[in-house]
Amino acid sequence: MSQRTALRLVISGRVHGVGFRHHLLRTAQAAGLDGWCRNRYDGTVEAVLAGPPAKVDLVLAWCRHGPAHADVTDVTVERDVPDPGADGFHIK
């Protein structure tokens, strides 16, 4: 079995109302990652990314800027989180 890693992200800034989750969905699916993303009541987006480390790092790098109308000010990364399993990537 190939190596996998899982990260939990909390993305801050102007990330609601700019299509962040839908762009992240497409980006993560294109990379073949598993996990999920959701808006949080505090105005942040939370996500869990799981898959090959290089692909996870690629999507993490995308999250640091997001789609065109987003203004990402911070990405908090928690490493070594439980792997959500091979169920694809979806919006909660």
Side-chain angles (χ1 to χ4, degrees), residues 10-68:
V10 177
I11 303 134
S12 304
R14 189 177 66 220
V15 293
H16 284 200
V18 294
F20 197 100
R21 290 173 304 144
H22 294 283
H23 281 87
L24 177 53
L25 173 73
R26 288 195 297 272
T27 302
Q29 287 176 337
L33 298 185
D34 298 302
W36 51 266
C37 64
R38 67 179 171 195
N39 281 344
R40 295 180 3 151
Y41 291 112
D42 65 359
T44 61
V45 168
E46 179 181 16
V48 171
L49 307 174
K55 299 283 186 164
V56 169
D57 288 344
L58 183 70
V59 176
L60 170 59
W62 178 89
C63 287
R64 295 190 188 284
H65 61 81

